[in-house]
């Protein structure tokens, strides 16, 4: 659910005030279903839950044109901004590729140096995990799954690939690529 929460909160933050249908349109136009496991129904469920938890509030609609099935417009509360930032920071350090992808999608909403630190944390944690995997015993004819050389090798290769991807991203950001919250309007200030 945290990936959906992050996507929904980020969409509303980018817009300022948003209908549920506009959030849905953002995610479908970004083709989020190809890089996350978000399903359309989860967007509306997340909107309801976020409102119930005080992360969003409903706003009076100034729009005279019906944008979709829901006329409810949402804005983000201070608690919602804090939740978004916390989820984003976590996503940018996460090993799980779909969660990390959502973090990348919204990384520009944080200051550049902060994003670099978060990605450096991710790279360090990935390196520690990869180093740990090299210490695991394997057996040619494994007696249990933890000793299967293919399983250990799969995870080691995945982690090494993620280390390389993270270091490339850090280099791009350090080289001045992309615009971040400390350089543009509309971001979350830390």
């Amino acid at each position: 659910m945290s990936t959906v929460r992050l996507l929904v909160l980020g969409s509303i933050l980018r817009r300022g005030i948003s209908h549920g249908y506009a959030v849905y349109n953002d995610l479908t136009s970004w083709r989020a279903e190809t890089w996350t496991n978000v399903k359309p129904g989860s967007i509306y469920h997340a909107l309801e839950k976020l409102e119930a938890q005080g992360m969003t509030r409903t706003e009076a609609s100034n729009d005279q044109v019906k944008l979709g099935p829901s006329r409810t417009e949402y804005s983000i509360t201070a608690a919602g901004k804090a939740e978004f930032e916390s989820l984003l920071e976590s996503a940018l350090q996460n090993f799980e590729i779909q969660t990390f992808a959502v973090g990348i999608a919204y990384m520009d909403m944080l200051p550049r140096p902060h994003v670099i630190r978060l990605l450096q944390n991710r790279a360090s944690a990935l390196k520690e995990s990869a180093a740990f995997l090299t210490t695991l015993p394997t057996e040619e004819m494994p007696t249990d799954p933890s000793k299967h050389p293919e399983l250990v090798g799969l995870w080691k290769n995945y982690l090494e690939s993620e280390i390389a991807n993270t270091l490339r991203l850090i280099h791009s950001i350090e080289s001045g690529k992309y615009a971040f919250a400390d350089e543009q309007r509309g971001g979350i200030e830390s």
Side-chain angles (χ1 to χ4, degrees):
M1 177 64 173
S2 64
T3 300
V4 177
R5 289 171 71 90
L6 180 55
L7 280 165
V8 170
L9 287 168
S11 172
I12 296 170
L13 275 169
R14 284 193 189 273
R15 290 178 169 270
I17 295 176
S18 185
H19 279 265
Y21 189 67
V23 172
Y24 171 81
N25 277 339
D26 280 350
L27 301 186
T28 56
S29 72
W30 302 340
R31 304 186 60 72
E33 75 281 359
T34 63
W35 43 275
T36 70
N37 59 0
V38 174
K39 305 287 183 245
S42 62
I43 295 166
Y44 292 100
H45 177 71
L47 284 166
E48 291 172 8
K49 199 156 186 142
L50 288 165
E51 183 179 14
Q53 295 171 341
M55 304 293 166
T56 63
R57 68 177 151 265
T58 58
E59 300 286 340
S61 179
N62 295 326
D63 194 354
Q64 301 303 315
V65 178
K66 186 171 180 170
L67 295 178
S70 174
R71 301 274 312 153
T72 305
E73 290 187 326
Y74 300 92
S75 64
I76 303 296
T77 64
K81 284 182 183 178
E83 173 78 352
F84 173 78
E85 186 170 352
S86 175
L87 290 171
L88 180 53
E89 289 172 346
S90 177
L92 286 168
Q93 298 175 88
N94 201 295
F95 286 18
E96 201 276 316
I97 191 69
Q98 291 183 354
T99 303
F100 183 58
V102 177
I104 291 171
Y106 289 131
M107 70 181 179
D108 65 326
M109 296 176 78
L110 293 172
R112 181 183 301 270
H114 189 53
V115 171
I116 291 169
R117 278 191 304 279
L118 294 169
L119 293 173
Q120 288 170 335
N121 292 346
R122 181 180 197 258
S124 293
L126 286 164
K127 288 175 184 176
E128 285 177 27
S129 291
F132 170 74
L133 286 173
T134 63
T135 68
L136 293 178
T138 58
E139 300 172 347
E140 191 170 316
M141 300 299 284
T143 56
D144 64 63
S146 69
K147 295 180 182 175
H148 201 297
E150 296 300 328
L151 181 61
V152 173
L154 174 76
W155 279 106
K156 187 173 176 292
N157 290 339
Y158 171 76
L159 292 173
E160 288 172 353
S161 173
E162 285 303 297
I163 292 165
N165 291 334
T166 303
L167 293 175
R168 270 193 301 276
L169 180 56
I170 291 168
H171 176 73
S172 293
I173 294 169
E174 287 176 335
S175 297
K177 197 167 186 181
Y178 312 113
F180 288 84
D182 53 342
E183 304 153 356
Q184 67 180 5
R185 294 175 48 106
I188 302 293
E189 297 298 325
S190 292

